[in-house]
Amino acid sequence: MSLRIYNVMSRQKEEFAPLTPGRVKMYACGITVSGDAHVGHAYQSVVFDVITRYLAYRGYDVTYVRNYTDVDDNIIKNANAIGVDPMRFAEEHIVTTDAQMDALGNNRPTVMARATRCIDDIIEFIKKLIDGGHAYVADTGDVYFKLDTFPGYGKLSHINLDKNEIAVRKDTEPGKQNELDFALWKSAKPGEIYWESPWGRGRPGWHIECSAMNMRFLGEQIDIHGGGRDLVFPHHENEIAQTESVTGKQFAKYWVHCGLVKINGQKMSKSLGNGILLRDMLAQYDADTIRFALLRNTYSNDIDITDDFFPVAHRHVYRMYSTLAAAKDADKSKVDDTKTAQKIAEITLEFESAMDDNFNTSHLIANAFGWFDFIDAELRKPQPTYDVKAIGEHIVKLFGVLNILQQDATKYVSDTKNAFLRDKNMSEDFINERIAERAHAKQERDFARSDAVRDELLAMGLSIRDTPTGTVWDVKI
RNA sequence: GGCUUGGUGGCAGAGUGGUUAUGCAGAGGACUGCAAAUCCUUGUAUGCCGGUUCGAUUCCGACCCAAGCCUCCA
């Protein structure tokens, strides 16, 4: 059994073998902080967080670098629009985004790189490209990558320059020798933020920063390069051109791209005004629910967020926590340790074979439904033959890779109930009074009245269930 | 126009050269005073046309359709 990863470069699943056995160097393109983080950013960050965690679970020593692009046209534009210094604008967005990513349950990457803190590396990198004949300085002070010096261009996105497959930009910048050349360094317009460079005052282009930060923090070659699928062309293609022109070596061994997020079947975009901000998601749902919803899909596929996307996930998460809470108190008098150990081994195998298959969290979660059904079935027995508490704890351990189900189950259940009551401005005493009233009516065989009470509670979103030990209530979520 | 990815049951969404996961919804049943909740059982699908094969949803080819990228984008 070994880990297989779908490599976008080769367009097939490949057995994972890092450059250095036991160690993984991974880079994922992070966010340009020109605005607030949205679901798409959340999805991508959760995907690479889970990948990092599974690699660690598999015993790899992982170095995960993730960048913030903290200077670009949109940042300058958006900062100017509200009269804030662009650097301060970026800084504030980074602080809030970090806090939101923490709240989402993501581990912090090993290195959180920032373009503006690597300006020297970027300048060095550009110098090397110029020295090697791969870049040129235009009269405007801009520096461009000379695309025809890199014959491998297009190998990731499979475009062919000879066939002129790229739609040519209409607003070609004046200093370019070839309209497909892309900017490495942009000269500063009057009043714009700038850094000193051998080519005058300016700032780095978008693509070069990732090449430079990779070089600085991970070296010439890395194992996994990730990002959203929309970055394949031109961003990642340009990164390859830059880095491999300097090193002459294969840049990344595996290219991993996660799918995009749609809202009710439509592409998320500013013009449609249908974006979902991470901040709003976190205000409405807990991190377990959000992660569960995002990870039910295969990472490489697009996600379509419909109205029941998160509510359904919340229901599943609540059910799983409820089961775990019940499992903690299960009767252990008839437990068979050998059978329990076998079950745990079986669960582990299902977990690993799903995750080994290109991090198939969708398959994993489908398997997990079976595990919880199993525990529920055992719990219905007066004396379970499996140690469901131990099985539950094992599942929790495995779910640590997704960073779901890591809260105290009893607390999660009661917190959910309390949040519901608070939301409805209702007290538990009220519910218990109603239950007592119903019991009284039932005793007098006044079923019309007992049913009325039940329907009333149901209408408020509460279900009640008669058990041998009495009537219990639960929230319908 | 080019490139890429994909087309699976009512919807969502996996795997698989031969009994087609899982979730939501549906049907029947158990339980119940009746329900709810829960559990059990169950129906329904692999875009179209060829090819390879004893056998294809799975492999190959053509076609149709959809989405993404080719401008900043996770």
Side-chain angles (χ1 to χ4, degrees):
Chain A
M1 188 83 74
S2 61
L3 174 60
R4 289 162 61 78
I5 298 181
Y6 182 83
N7 189 350
V8 172
M9 181 70 84
S10 66
R11 285 176 286 181
Q12 54 196 20
K13 283 182 194 169
E14 296 176 12
E15 190 149 318
F16 181 63
L19 296 160
T20 306
R23 305 197 58 181
V24 178
K25 296 191 286 184
M26 182 167 94
Y27 184 97
C29 291
I31 301 175
T32 299
V33 282
S34 57
D36 293 320
H38 54 64
V39 218
H41 299 126
Y43 182 38
Q44 192 258 27
S45 65
V46 167
V47 163
F48 287 98
D49 179 60
V50 169
I51 287 176
T52 309
R53 288 172 191 262
Y54 188 64
L55 291 169
Y57 172 93
R58 272 303 194 190
Y60 291 106
D61 178 12
V62 185
T63 306
Y64 170 30
V65 179
R66 191 174 169 83
N67 76 297
Y68 275 118
T69 297
D70 53 354
V71 62
D72 91 320
D73 291 343
N74 286 324
I75 293 172
I76 294 170
K77 193 180 78 185
N78 295 347
N80 287 342
I82 56 170
V84 175
D85 172 64
M87 289 299 284
R88 193 177 150 196
F89 180 92
E91 173 68 26
E92 283 170 359
H93 277 83
I94 287 173
V95 170
T96 43
T97 303
D98 279 347
Q100 287 169 1
M101 291 298 174
D102 291 346
L104 229 200
N106 287 336
N107 276 149
R108 296 242 171 152
T110 322
V111 177
M112 297 166 83
R114 290 199 204 179
T116 59
R117 292 184 182 174
C118 298
I119 297 291
D120 291 346
D121 302 270
I122 292 167
I123 289 173
E124 275 310 303
F125 206 108
I126 297 174
K127 274 187 192 166
K128 283 182 191 165
L129 285 169
I130 294 174
D131 291 347
H134 294 288
Y136 57 90
V137 187
D139 297 341
T140 52
D142 299 319
V143 183
Y144 290 101
F145 186 87
K146 198 166 159 54
L147 206 58
D148 56 16
T149 66
F150 185 69
Y153 197 78
K155 63 184 174 182
L156 181 67
S157 54
H158 307 99
I159 54 164
N160 188 339
L161 293 182
D162 294 341
K163 291 187 182 167
N164 206 9
E165 286 170 353
I166 304 173
V168 177
R169 293 181 62 170
K170 295 172 186 83
D171 54 339
T172 303
E173 288 136 64
K176 281 189 186 181
Q177 293 177 4
N178 183 317
E179 55 238 317
L180 297 178
D181 293 347
F182 56 89
L184 301 172
W185 187 262
K186 297 181 172 192
S187 58
K189 297 187 187 78
E192 264 186 4
I193 183 169
Y194 64 84
W195 286 262
E196 299 287 354
S197 85
W199 319 289
R201 294 172 170 181
R203 61 193 152 84
W206 176 39
H207 313 296
I208 192 67
E209 50 176 87
C210 285
S211 281
M213 287 188 271
N214 263 286
M215 187 72 83
R216 169 163 167 181
F217 296 110
L218 295 171
E220 294 189 336
Q221 294 183 289
I222 66 171
D223 295 293
I224 299 174
H225 194 130
R229 218 185 41 225
D230 51 344
L231 297 188
V232 173
F233 188 89
H235 185 56
H236 289 164
E237 203 68 76
N238 292 354
E239 272 188 65
I240 292 170
Q242 293 160 349
T243 299
E244 297 191 358
S245 289
V246 165
T247 66
K249 297 174 187 167
Q250 180 190 49
F251 176 29
K253 201 167 177 196
Y254 305 90
W255 287 88
V256 174
H257 293 100
C258 97
L260 271 27
V261 174
K262 291 187 288 189
I263 311 290
N264 287 315
Q266 282 187 311
K267 189 191 167 181
M268 188 166 59
S269 76
K270 280 178 187 158
S271 56
L272 289 167
N274 61 352
I276 298 178
L277 297 183
L278 179 51
R279 185 203 302 134
D280 296 333
M281 288 159 63
L282 288 166
Q284 206 173 354
Y285 301 102
D286 59 292
D288 281 73
T289 293
I290 297 171
R291 296 175 78 90
F292 185 91
L294 296 175
L295 294 169
R296 270 195 83 181
N297 178 276
T298 313
Y299 77 82
S300 56
N301 285 355
D302 291 347
I303 282 184
D304 188 7
I305 298 187
T306 51
D307 292 343
D308 62 355
F309 186 76
F310 291 118
V312 168
H314 187 212
R315 229 168 283 149
H316 287 304
V317 169
Y318 181 69
R319 182 254 171 152
M320 292 193 290
Y321 270 124
S322 301
T323 299
L324 290 173
K328 286 199 286 192
D329 303 324
D331 183 286
K332 294 181 79 163
S333 57
K334 286 279 168 59
V335 157
D336 182 329
D337 289 337
T338 309
K339 286 170 79 172
T340 299
Q342 279 170 356
K343 187 67 192 174
I344 285 176
E346 188 185 305
I347 287 171
T348 304
L349 186 67
E350 285 183 7
F351 170 80
E352 291 178 357
S353 53
M355 289 301 284
D356 275 347
D357 180 19
N358 195 33
F359 312 107
N360 194 333
T361 53
S362 177
H363 204 173
L364 162 61
I365 287 173
N367 288 338
F369 284 128
W371 308 338
F372 283 93
D373 285 347
F374 179 85
I375 294 179
D376 280 339
E378 283 297 307
L379 285 171
R380 278 193 300 279
K381 299 177 185 168
Q383 294 173 316
T385 47
Y386 289 84
D387 183 349
V388 289
K389 180 167 183 277
I391 292 172
E393 283 166 357
H394 186 69
I395 293 171
V396 167
K397 198 177 119 203
L398 297 177
F399 263 73
V401 168
L402 308 184
N403 196 17
I404 296 173
L405 302 182
Q406 302 304 297
Q407 301 182 52
D408 179 79
T410 311
K411 185 170 183 301
Y412 185 95
V413 172
S414 64
D415 283 355
T416 303
K417 285 183 172 178
N418 289 335
F420 179 89
L421 295 178
R422 209 166 42 243
D423 201 40
K424 300 274 181 181
N425 198 17
M426 201 186 287
S427 74
E428 193 163 1
D429 289 343
F430 165 79
I431 300 170
N432 287 330
E433 280 166 24
R434 306 304 283 160
I435 287 175
E437 185 186 339
R438 172 170 170 271
H440 184 69
K442 277 178 69 168
Q443 213 166 26
E444 294 186 347
R445 303 194 67 78
D446 183 356
F447 295 122
R449 206 170 117 231
S450 70
D451 289 354
V453 173
R454 188 186 60 210
D455 291 343
E456 182 196 341
L457 291 173
L458 198 60
M460 291 187 283
L462 295 165
S463 71
I464 53 175
R465 183 167 43 119
D466 298 324
T467 73
T469 52
T471 301
V472 295
W473 67 273
D474 203 346
V475 291
K476 274 171 69 89
I477 56 173

